Amino acid sequence: MELGSYRGKRFVVKLGGELMQNAVGLRAMSADIARMSSEGVGVIVVHGGGPQADALTQQLGHTVRKVAGRRVTDDAALEVVKMVYGGSINIDMLGALRASGARGVGLSGVDAGLITVTRRPPVMLRDPQTGTEELVDYGHVGDLASVDVSVLDLLLGAGYVPVVASLAADVEGNIYNINADTVATILAKALDAEGLYLVTNVPGILRDPSDRATLIPTCTASEATALIESGVVSGGMLPKVQNCLSALRGGVRQVCILDGSRPESLLLQSLTSSGVGTVIMNDR
């Protein structure tokens, strides 16, 4: 597969925690990333780790609490995500890249002031089923204040593959959890990336979430917005598509939601073939 047309361009690839549990798929994905890097394509990996954080939280005897799909990061949960995101998952990803010949470097948003956040204030949320409202404090969860990608520029320029855990800090050095899709979107915009890939455990946007055959292979930003408004995009897919639209508005050329649950990687294939995942592009 010829990658010459992508030489010098940058791609951000966000890997969900589910992929990290798929050893065969992780090796295949790492091989694709290594191939891209070896041919002069800049690749930044961003990873989550929700399933692993949930498992460790339960093993430690704590309760996992989520509101509207978002983790409430209390003191105990913060220690867990630091251990999982900044520790075991990051190291496992570096090991997979090394096995494929890529020179991975582990980072988080804390490193070199990559991502600076402020603590998210409590928000009033309405339960769509009961209609009741609740003031929710997400705890140690950060919202973007600023981004400085100079450390990524240095690493990419030297042929390394940065692997970024979804943790960040405020100006006083307090550590916060930050959604990995959001981190990937922030970095893709700041790096003027050619593409953003959100690798998850579904094939892409489905018209019927229970039927993988209803995959929507391509859509424009306005069509994706209409899918949100009609309720086709909902649940866990909603914030992903919202991040995709944010990336497009921020100058990223195209975004793709890709299936990472398979034994083979679809990353390279998606660069040259249609019908792989869901590709969202700006309206022409």
Side-chain angles (χ1 to χ4, degrees):
M1 181 181 296
E2 179 57 50
L3 290 174
S5 61
Y6 294 107
R7 186 179 301 276
K9 298 185 184 299
R10 293 171 172 184
F11 290 83
V12 176
V13 181
K14 184 268 177 175
L15 306 181
E18 296 86 359
L19 175 65
M20 302 301 296
Q21 297 173 319
N22 173 11
V24 175
L26 179 61
R27 287 196 296 271
M29 179 66 67
S30 298
D32 275 4
I33 292 170
R35 168 77 182 279
M36 293 171 71
S37 180
S38 70
E39 297 199 24
V41 181
V43 183
I44 303 91
V45 176
V46 176
H47 64 79
Q52 294 88 336
D54 289 350
L56 181 56
T57 298
Q58 292 166 351
Q59 289 172 16
L60 294 173
H62 302 303
T63 300
V64 176
R65 186 181 177 220
K66 296 180 182 178
V67 179
R70 302 288 191 181
R71 184 182 306 276
V72 174
T73 309
D74 59 15
D75 291 349
L78 179 63
E79 293 306 309
V80 167
V81 297
K82 284 159 61 177
M83 287 187 282
V84 173
Y85 300 175
S88 59
I89 290 186
N90 199 272
I91 294 295
D92 287 345
M93 187 67 221
L94 294 174
L97 288 171
R98 181 166 183 174
S100 297
R103 298 192 297 166
V105 176
L107 301 167
S108 73
V110 181
D111 290 84
L114 178 57
I115 298 174
T116 301
V117 297
T118 57
R119 180 170 177 143
R120 178 174 298 172
V123 293
M124 189 69 72
L125 293 181
R126 182 176 180 274
D127 188 318
Q129 295 181 331
T130 66
T132 58
E133 292 189 337
E134 176 188 4
L135 185 65
V136 178
D137 184 351
Y138 281 98
H140 304 284
V141 172
D143 290 326
L144 176 67
S146 63
V147 58
D148 179 356
V149 295
S150 55
V151 67
L152 299 183
D153 288 332
L154 288 171
L155 292 170
L156 292 169
Y160 294 101
V161 177
V163 179
V164 183
S166 54
L167 298 166
D170 63 16
V171 293
E172 296 177 346
N174 299 303
I175 309 302
Y176 292 93
N177 184 16
I178 182 169
N179 178 267
D181 287 345
T182 302
V183 170
T185 301
I186 289 167
L187 296 182
K189 292 192 290 187
L191 289 162
D192 192 29
E194 178 72 16
L196 166 64
Y197 284 83
L198 301 183
V199 183
T200 184
N201 59 347
V202 295
I205 300 175
L206 304 175
R207 290 196 180 276
D208 178 356
S210 65
D211 184 358
R212 287 182 167 233
T214 63
L215 174 71
I216 299 172
T218 60
C219 64
T220 63
S222 61
E223 289 169 340
T225 300
L227 291 170
I228 292 173
E229 293 172 348
S230 67
V232 170
V233 172
S234 60
M237 185 57 68
L238 177 57
K240 291 187 182 298
V241 176
Q242 290 171 330
N243 273 300
C244 290
L245 295 173
S246 174
L248 291 173
R249 290 192 297 268
V252 179
R253 257 64 74 192
Q254 72 174 33
V255 296
C256 183
I257 300 172
L258 206 60
D259 189 358
S261 65
R262 301 159 61 115
E264 73 276 15
S265 171
L266 301 177
L267 183 58
L268 282 181
Q269 184 181 342
S270 70
L271 292 176
T272 57
S273 303
S274 60
V276 181
T278 296
V279 175
I280 309 175
M281 298 169 289
N282 274 312
D283 295 84
R284 296 185 182 277

mmCIF file of all heavy atoms in Angstrom, residues 236-280:
data_model
loop_
_atom_site.group_PDB
_atom_site.id
_atom_site.type_symbol
_atom_site.label_atom_id
_atom_site.label_comp_id
_atom_site.label_asym_id
_atom_site.label_seq_id
_atom_site.Cartn_x
_atom_site.Cartn_y
_atom_site.Cartn_z
ATOM 1 N N GLY A 236 -23.670 6.289 23.716
ATOM 2 C CA GLY A 236 -22.229 6.464 23.707
ATOM 3 C C GLY A 236 -21.678 6.997 22.403
ATOM 4 O O GLY A 236 -20.571 7.550 22.370
ATOM 5 N N MET A 237 -22.449 6.838 21.310
ATOM 6 C CA MET A 237 -21.979 7.352 20.026
ATOM 7 C C MET A 237 -22.119 8.867 19.940
ATOM 8 O O MET A 237 -21.374 9.532 19.197
ATOM 9 C CB MET A 237 -22.757 6.695 18.888
ATOM 10 C CG MET A 237 -22.283 7.050 17.490
ATOM 11 S SD MET A 237 -20.527 6.679 17.177
ATOM 12 C CE MET A 237 -20.552 4.877 17.222
ATOM 13 N N LEU A 238 -23.039 9.451 20.706
ATOM 14 C CA LEU A 238 -23.301 10.879 20.620
ATOM 15 C C LEU A 238 -22.061 11.728 20.901
ATOM 16 O O LEU A 238 -21.694 12.583 20.077
ATOM 17 C CB LEU A 238 -24.451 11.262 21.556
ATOM 18 C CG LEU A 238 -24.803 12.754 21.644
ATOM 19 C CD1 LEU A 238 -25.147 13.309 20.270
ATOM 20 C CD2 LEU A 238 -25.959 12.972 22.619
ATOM 21 N N PRO A 239 -21.360 11.538 22.046
ATOM 22 C CA PRO A 239 -20.176 12.379 22.276
ATOM 23 C C PRO A 239 -19.075 12.140 21.258
ATOM 24 O O PRO A 239 -18.297 13.055 20.962
ATOM 25 C CB PRO A 239 -19.736 12.004 23.700
ATOM 26 C CG PRO A 239 -20.369 10.686 23.978
ATOM 27 C CD PRO A 239 -21.641 10.668 23.205
ATOM 28 N N LYS A 240 -18.991 10.917 20.706
ATOM 29 C CA LYS A 240 -17.972 10.658 19.688
ATOM 30 C C LYS A 240 -18.236 11.490 18.439
ATOM 31 O O LYS A 240 -17.323 12.126 17.894
ATOM 32 C CB LYS A 240 -17.936 9.165 19.335
ATOM 33 C CG LYS A 240 -17.410 8.280 20.449
ATOM 34 C CD LYS A 240 -17.237 6.857 20.003
ATOM 35 C CE LYS A 240 -16.747 5.981 21.147
ATOM 36 N NZ LYS A 240 -15.435 6.413 21.647
ATOM 37 N N VAL A 241 -19.482 11.490 17.976
ATOM 38 C CA VAL A 241 -19.809 12.262 16.781
ATOM 39 C C VAL A 241 -19.674 13.753 17.054
ATOM 40 O O VAL A 241 -19.208 14.512 16.194
ATOM 41 C CB VAL A 241 -21.221 11.903 16.277
ATOM 42 C CG1 VAL A 241 -21.610 12.788 15.092
ATOM 43 C CG2 VAL A 241 -21.276 10.429 15.870
ATOM 44 N N GLN A 242 -20.028 14.188 18.243
ATOM 45 C CA GLN A 242 -19.847 15.598 18.594
ATOM 46 C C GLN A 242 -18.376 15.984 18.547
ATOM 47 O O GLN A 242 -18.022 17.082 18.073
ATOM 48 C CB GLN A 242 -20.442 15.877 19.968
ATOM 49 C CG GLN A 242 -21.969 15.819 19.996
ATOM 50 C CD GLN A 242 -22.552 15.889 21.390
ATOM 51 O OE1 GLN A 242 -21.922 15.452 22.359
ATOM 52 N NE2 GLN A 242 -23.752 16.434 21.504
ATOM 53 N N ASN A 243 -17.498 15.101 19.017
ATOM 54 C CA ASN A 243 -16.057 15.371 18.933
ATOM 55 C C ASN A 243 -15.592 15.390 17.480
ATOM 56 O O ASN A 243 -14.748 16.209 17.102
ATOM 57 C CB ASN A 243 -15.274 14.324 19.726
ATOM 58 C CG ASN A 243 -15.128 14.686 21.189
ATOM 59 O OD1 ASN A 243 -14.567 15.717 21.531
ATOM 60 N ND2 ASN A 243 -15.626 13.840 22.066
ATOM 61 N N CYS A 244 -16.158 14.507 16.656
ATOM 62 C CA CYS A 244 -15.810 14.496 15.236
ATOM 63 C C CYS A 244 -16.161 15.831 14.589
ATOM 64 O O CYS A 244 -15.366 16.405 13.825
ATOM 65 C CB CYS A 244 -16.556 13.370 14.524
ATOM 66 S SG CYS A 244 -15.999 11.702 14.940
ATOM 67 N N LEU A 245 -17.333 16.335 14.882
ATOM 68 C CA LEU A 245 -17.767 17.610 14.306
ATOM 69 C C LEU A 245 -16.895 18.764 14.803
ATOM 70 O O LEU A 245 -16.557 19.676 14.037
ATOM 71 C CB LEU A 245 -19.236 17.864 14.641
ATOM 72 C CG LEU A 245 -20.231 16.875 14.013
ATOM 73 C CD1 LEU A 245 -21.635 17.118 14.546
ATOM 74 C CD2 LEU A 245 -20.202 16.976 12.495
ATOM 75 N N SER A 246 -16.505 18.712 16.070
ATOM 76 C CA SER A 246 -15.605 19.728 16.620
ATOM 77 C C SER A 246 -14.264 19.706 15.901
ATOM 78 O O SER A 246 -13.694 20.763 15.592
ATOM 79 C CB SER A 246 -15.414 19.495 18.119
ATOM 80 O OG SER A 246 -14.447 20.382 18.651
ATOM 81 N N ALA A 247 -13.753 18.503 15.609
ATOM 82 C CA ALA A 247 -12.478 18.379 14.900
ATOM 83 C C ALA A 247 -12.572 18.985 13.503
ATOM 84 O O ALA A 247 -11.665 19.706 13.063
ATOM 85 C CB ALA A 247 -12.064 16.915 14.822
ATOM 86 N N LEU A 248 -13.660 18.706 12.795
ATOM 87 C CA LEU A 248 -13.831 19.257 11.450
ATOM 88 C C LEU A 248 -13.901 20.776 11.488
ATOM 89 O O LEU A 248 -13.291 21.460 10.656
ATOM 90 C CB LEU A 248 -15.095 18.679 10.809
ATOM 91 C CG LEU A 248 -15.054 17.194 10.456
ATOM 92 C CD1 LEU A 248 -16.427 16.717 9.999
ATOM 93 C CD2 LEU A 248 -14.010 16.906 9.384
ATOM 94 N N ARG A 249 -14.635 21.312 12.462
ATOM 95 C CA ARG A 249 -14.716 22.772 12.590
ATOM 96 C C ARG A 249 -13.352 23.364 12.907
ATOM 97 O O ARG A 249 -13.069 24.524 12.572
ATOM 98 C CB ARG A 249 -15.720 23.160 13.681
ATOM 99 C CG ARG A 249 -17.174 22.890 13.307
ATOM 100 C CD ARG A 249 -18.121 23.560 14.299
ATOM 101 N NE ARG A 249 -17.965 23.026 15.655
ATOM 102 C CZ ARG A 249 -18.659 22.018 16.147
ATOM 103 N NH1 ARG A 249 -19.570 21.401 15.391
ATOM 104 N NH2 ARG A 249 -18.465 21.594 17.388
ATOM 105 N N GLY A 250 -12.487 22.573 13.566
ATOM 106 C CA GLY A 250 -11.162 23.045 13.951
ATOM 107 C C GLY A 250 -10.101 22.872 12.884
ATOM 108 O O GLY A 250 -8.921 23.115 13.144
ATOM 109 N N GLY A 251 -10.494 22.424 11.688
ATOM 110 C CA GLY A 251 -9.548 22.346 10.581
ATOM 111 C C GLY A 251 -9.059 20.969 10.216
ATOM 112 O O GLY A 251 -8.305 20.807 9.240
ATOM 113 N N VAL A 252 -9.434 19.929 10.971
ATOM 114 C CA VAL A 252 -9.056 18.559 10.606
ATOM 115 C C VAL A 252 -9.783 18.191 9.322
ATOM 116 O O VAL A 252 -10.986 18.463 9.182
ATOM 117 C CB VAL A 252 -9.401 17.575 11.741
ATOM 118 C CG1 VAL A 252 -9.040 16.144 11.350
ATOM 119 C CG2 VAL A 252 -8.671 17.986 13.021
ATOM 120 N N ARG A 253 -9.064 17.593 8.365
ATOM 121 C CA ARG A 253 -9.651 17.357 7.047
ATOM 122 C C ARG A 253 -10.764 16.327 7.060
ATOM 123 O O ARG A 253 -11.790 16.493 6.428
ATOM 124 C CB ARG A 253 -8.560 16.919 6.064
ATOM 125 C CG ARG A 253 -8.123 17.998 5.123
ATOM 126 C CD ARG A 253 -7.477 19.167 5.840
ATOM 127 N NE ARG A 253 -6.137 18.847 6.320
ATOM 128 C CZ ARG A 253 -5.428 19.589 7.165
ATOM 129 N NH1 ARG A 253 -5.958 20.700 7.673
ATOM 130 N NH2 ARG A 253 -4.231 19.244 7.537
ATOM 131 N N GLN A 254 -10.561 15.216 7.772
ATOM 132 C CA GLN A 254 -11.623 14.228 7.869
ATOM 133 C C GLN A 254 -11.454 13.426 9.151
ATOM 134 O O GLN A 254 -10.368 13.360 9.724
ATOM 135 C CB GLN A 254 -11.658 13.291 6.664
ATOM 136 C CG GLN A 254 -10.521 12.278 6.603
ATOM 137 C CD GLN A 254 -10.699 11.281 5.452
ATOM 138 O OE1 GLN A 254 -11.221 11.605 4.396
ATOM 139 N NE2 GLN A 254 -10.264 10.058 5.671
ATOM 140 N N VAL A 255 -12.553 12.854 9.596
ATOM 141 C CA VAL A 255 -12.531 12.023 10.790
ATOM 142 C C VAL A 255 -13.167 10.679 10.451
ATOM 143 O O VAL A 255 -13.972 10.581 9.525
ATOM 144 C CB VAL A 255 -13.274 12.685 11.969
ATOM 145 C CG1 VAL A 255 -12.590 13.970 12.385
ATOM 146 C CG2 VAL A 255 -14.720 12.972 11.608
ATOM 147 N N CYS A 256 -12.781 9.674 11.202
ATOM 148 C CA CYS A 256 -13.292 8.334 10.925
ATOM 149 C C CYS A 256 -13.524 7.597 12.239
ATOM 150 O O CYS A 256 -12.666 7.604 13.122
ATOM 151 C CB CYS A 256 -12.299 7.556 10.054
ATOM 152 S SG CYS A 256 -12.870 5.906 9.564
ATOM 153 N N ILE A 257 -14.693 6.999 12.352
ATOM 154 C CA ILE A 257 -14.998 6.118 13.478
ATOM 155 C C ILE A 257 -14.802 4.699 12.973
ATOM 156 O O ILE A 257 -15.421 4.280 11.999
ATOM 157 C CB ILE A 257 -16.436 6.338 13.983
ATOM 158 C CG1 ILE A 257 -16.606 7.789 14.443
ATOM 159 C CG2 ILE A 257 -16.748 5.375 15.133
ATOM 160 C CD1 ILE A 257 -18.036 8.155 14.787
ATOM 161 N N LEU A 258 -13.915 3.958 13.623
ATOM 162 C CA LEU A 258 -13.421 2.699 13.083
ATOM 163 C C LEU A 258 -13.580 1.575 14.097
ATOM 164 O O LEU A 258 -13.450 1.789 15.298
ATOM 165 C CB LEU A 258 -11.939 2.866 12.732
ATOM 166 C CG LEU A 258 -11.320 1.997 11.641
ATOM 167 C CD1 LEU A 258 -12.023 2.227 10.310
ATOM 168 C CD2 LEU A 258 -9.840 2.324 11.513
ATOM 169 N N ASP A 259 -13.841 0.386 13.606
ATOM 170 C CA ASP A 259 -14.037 -0.789 14.453
ATOM 171 C C ASP A 259 -12.682 -1.347 14.898
ATOM 172 O O ASP A 259 -11.852 -1.722 14.079
ATOM 173 C CB ASP A 259 -14.812 -1.855 13.665
ATOM 174 C CG ASP A 259 -15.264 -3.022 14.528
ATOM 175 O OD1 ASP A 259 -14.956 -3.035 15.733
ATOM 176 O OD2 ASP A 259 -15.939 -3.924 13.994
ATOM 177 N N GLY A 260 -12.477 -1.426 16.221
ATOM 178 C CA GLY A 260 -11.245 -1.996 16.753
ATOM 179 C C GLY A 260 -11.446 -3.348 17.412
ATOM 180 O O GLY A 260 -10.550 -3.850 18.080
ATOM 181 N N SER A 261 -12.621 -3.938 17.221
ATOM 182 C CA SER A 261 -12.917 -5.214 17.881
ATOM 183 C C SER A 261 -12.528 -6.417 17.040
ATOM 184 O O SER A 261 -12.662 -7.553 17.478
ATOM 185 C CB SER A 261 -14.408 -5.294 18.223
ATOM 186 O OG SER A 261 -15.206 -5.312 17.042
ATOM 187 N N ARG A 262 -12.045 -6.180 15.839
ATOM 188 C CA ARG A 262 -11.717 -7.267 14.917
ATOM 189 C C ARG A 262 -10.286 -7.746 15.138
ATOM 190 O O ARG A 262 -9.462 -7.041 15.710
ATOM 191 C CB ARG A 262 -11.894 -6.786 13.479
ATOM 192 C CG ARG A 262 -13.306 -6.305 13.169
ATOM 193 C CD ARG A 262 -13.343 -5.391 11.964
ATOM 194 N NE ARG A 262 -12.877 -6.040 10.756
ATOM 195 C CZ ARG A 262 -13.650 -6.271 9.691
ATOM 196 N NH1 ARG A 262 -14.924 -5.923 9.702
ATOM 197 N NH2 ARG A 262 -13.145 -6.835 8.616
ATOM 198 N N PRO A 263 -9.939 -8.937 14.651
ATOM 199 C CA PRO A 263 -8.563 -9.424 14.798
ATOM 200 C C PRO A 263 -7.583 -8.708 13.885
ATOM 201 O O PRO A 263 -6.377 -8.698 14.132
ATOM 202 C CB PRO A 263 -8.672 -10.912 14.446
ATOM 203 C CG PRO A 263 -9.904 -11.018 13.607
ATOM 204 C CD PRO A 263 -10.834 -9.975 14.120
ATOM 205 N N GLU A 264 -8.091 -8.118 12.787
ATOM 206 C CA GLU A 264 -7.218 -7.368 11.890
ATOM 207 C C GLU A 264 -7.443 -5.873 12.092
ATOM 208 O O GLU A 264 -8.478 -5.454 12.595
ATOM 209 C CB GLU A 264 -7.487 -7.743 10.422
ATOM 210 C CG GLU A 264 -8.795 -7.211 9.848
ATOM 211 C CD GLU A 264 -9.994 -8.085 10.148
ATOM 212 O OE1 GLU A 264 -9.891 -8.960 11.025
ATOM 213 O OE2 GLU A 264 -11.045 -7.882 9.523
ATOM 214 N N SER A 265 -6.443 -5.084 11.706
ATOM 215 C CA SER A 265 -6.558 -3.637 11.803
ATOM 216 C C SER A 265 -7.122 -3.073 10.505
ATOM 217 O O SER A 265 -6.760 -3.518 9.413
ATOM 218 C CB SER A 265 -5.188 -3.007 12.080
ATOM 219 O OG SER A 265 -5.254 -1.602 11.973
ATOM 220 N N LEU A 266 -7.993 -2.083 10.627
ATOM 221 C CA LEU A 266 -8.585 -1.437 9.461
ATOM 222 C C LEU A 266 -7.964 -0.069 9.184
ATOM 223 O O LEU A 266 -8.406 0.643 8.287
ATOM 224 C CB LEU A 266 -10.095 -1.271 9.670
ATOM 225 C CG LEU A 266 -10.895 -2.552 9.899
ATOM 226 C CD1 LEU A 266 -12.360 -2.221 10.160
ATOM 227 C CD2 LEU A 266 -10.768 -3.496 8.715
ATOM 228 N N LEU A 267 -6.939 0.292 9.949
ATOM 229 C CA LEU A 267 -6.396 1.642 9.865
ATOM 230 C C LEU A 267 -5.837 1.949 8.482
ATOM 231 O O LEU A 267 -6.258 2.905 7.821
ATOM 232 C CB LEU A 267 -5.334 1.851 10.941
ATOM 233 C CG LEU A 267 -4.707 3.242 11.024
ATOM 234 C CD1 LEU A 267 -5.779 4.308 11.253
ATOM 235 C CD2 LEU A 267 -3.663 3.288 12.138
ATOM 236 N N LEU A 268 -4.884 1.148 8.006
ATOM 237 C CA LEU A 268 -4.294 1.398 6.700
ATOM 238 C C LEU A 268 -5.326 1.226 5.597
ATOM 239 O O LEU A 268 -5.364 2.002 4.633
ATOM 240 C CB LEU A 268 -3.106 0.465 6.462
ATOM 241 C CG LEU A 268 -1.792 0.832 7.153
ATOM 242 C CD1 LEU A 268 -0.720 -0.178 6.805
ATOM 243 C CD2 LEU A 268 -1.338 2.230 6.765
ATOM 244 N N GLN A 269 -6.160 0.211 5.722
ATOM 245 C CA GLN A 269 -7.178 -0.040 4.707
ATOM 246 C C GLN A 269 -8.099 1.159 4.534
ATOM 247 O O GLN A 269 -8.509 1.500 3.419
ATOM 248 C CB GLN A 269 -7.987 -1.278 5.093
ATOM 249 C CG GLN A 269 -9.025 -1.693 4.066
ATOM 250 C CD GLN A 269 -9.821 -2.912 4.512
ATOM 251 O OE1 GLN A 269 -9.401 -3.643 5.410
ATOM 252 N NE2 GLN A 269 -10.968 -3.124 3.895
ATOM 253 N N SER A 270 -8.404 1.821 5.634
ATOM 254 C CA SER A 270 -9.333 2.951 5.578
ATOM 255 C C SER A 270 -8.756 4.150 4.831
ATOM 256 O O SER A 270 -9.490 5.018 4.373
ATOM 257 C CB SER A 270 -9.745 3.374 6.994
ATOM 258 O OG SER A 270 -8.657 3.973 7.666
ATOM 259 N N LEU A 271 -7.428 4.206 4.709
ATOM 260 C CA LEU A 271 -6.806 5.324 4.009
ATOM 261 C C LEU A 271 -7.023 5.252 2.499
ATOM 262 O O LEU A 271 -6.946 6.275 1.812
ATOM 263 C CB LEU A 271 -5.308 5.369 4.298
ATOM 264 C CG LEU A 271 -4.899 5.724 5.740
ATOM 265 C CD1 LEU A 271 -3.395 5.637 5.891
ATOM 266 C CD2 LEU A 271 -5.398 7.109 6.121
ATOM 267 N N THR A 272 -7.271 4.056 1.986
ATOM 268 C CA THR A 272 -7.372 3.893 0.536
ATOM 269 C C THR A 272 -8.688 3.272 0.086
ATOM 270 O O THR A 272 -8.968 3.242 -1.114
ATOM 271 C CB THR A 272 -6.224 3.001 0.023
ATOM 272 O OG1 THR A 272 -6.262 1.732 0.700
ATOM 273 C CG2 THR A 272 -4.882 3.649 0.283
ATOM 274 N N SER A 273 -9.497 2.771 1.011
ATOM 275 C CA SER A 273 -10.726 2.080 0.627
ATOM 276 C C SER A 273 -11.932 2.748 1.275
ATOM 277 O O SER A 273 -11.858 3.203 2.421
ATOM 278 C CB SER A 273 -10.678 0.606 1.056
ATOM 279 O OG SER A 273 -9.556 -0.045 0.507
ATOM 280 N N SER A 274 -13.030 2.781 0.559
ATOM 281 C CA SER A 274 -14.273 3.281 1.128
ATOM 282 C C SER A 274 -15.013 2.132 1.791
ATOM 283 O O SER A 274 -14.703 0.964 1.574
ATOM 284 C CB SER A 274 -15.143 3.905 0.033
ATOM 285 O OG SER A 274 -15.456 2.933 -0.959
ATOM 286 N N GLY A 275 -16.006 2.477 2.603
ATOM 287 C CA GLY A 275 -16.799 1.447 3.258
ATOM 288 C C GLY A 275 -16.138 0.843 4.470
ATOM 289 O O GLY A 275 -16.569 -0.206 4.954
ATOM 290 N N VAL A 276 -15.070 1.471 4.962
ATOM 291 C CA VAL A 276 -14.393 0.994 6.175
ATOM 292 C C VAL A 276 -14.683 2.001 7.286
ATOM 293 O O VAL A 276 -14.184 3.123 7.263
ATOM 294 C CB VAL A 276 -12.870 0.855 5.952
ATOM 295 C CG1 VAL A 276 -12.206 0.335 7.222
ATOM 296 C CG2 VAL A 276 -12.591 -0.072 4.778
ATOM 297 N N GLY A 277 -15.513 1.619 8.237
ATOM 298 C CA GLY A 277 -15.901 2.542 9.275
ATOM 299 C C GLY A 277 -16.841 3.614 8.731
ATOM 300 O O GLY A 277 -17.403 3.488 7.631
ATOM 301 N N THR A 278 -16.995 4.666 9.498
ATOM 302 C CA THR A 278 -17.773 5.835 9.056
ATOM 303 C C THR A 278 -16.841 7.019 8.927
ATOM 304 O O THR A 278 -16.202 7.428 9.898
ATOM 305 C CB THR A 278 -18.882 6.182 10.052
ATOM 306 O OG1 THR A 278 -19.837 5.116 10.125
ATOM 307 C CG2 THR A 278 -19.613 7.453 9.628
ATOM 308 N N VAL A 279 -16.752 7.546 7.730
ATOM 309 C CA VAL A 279 -15.938 8.728 7.457
ATOM 310 C C VAL A 279 -16.854 9.948 7.443
ATOM 311 O O VAL A 279 -17.888 9.946 6.760
ATOM 312 C CB VAL A 279 -15.199 8.618 6.108
ATOM 313 C CG1 VAL A 279 -14.453 9.913 5.788
ATOM 314 C CG2 VAL A 279 -14.229 7.436 6.131
ATOM 315 N N ILE A 280 -16.490 10.974 8.207
ATOM 316 C CA ILE A 280 -17.250 12.222 8.234
ATOM 317 C C ILE A 280 -16.367 13.339 7.692
ATOM 318 O O ILE A 280 -15.224 13.494 8.121
ATOM 319 C CB ILE A 280 -17.709 12.570 9.664
ATOM 320 C CG1 ILE A 280 -18.418 11.376 10.316
ATOM 321 C CG2 ILE A 280 -18.636 13.786 9.654
ATOM 322 C CD1 ILE A 280 -18.795 11.609 11.774
#
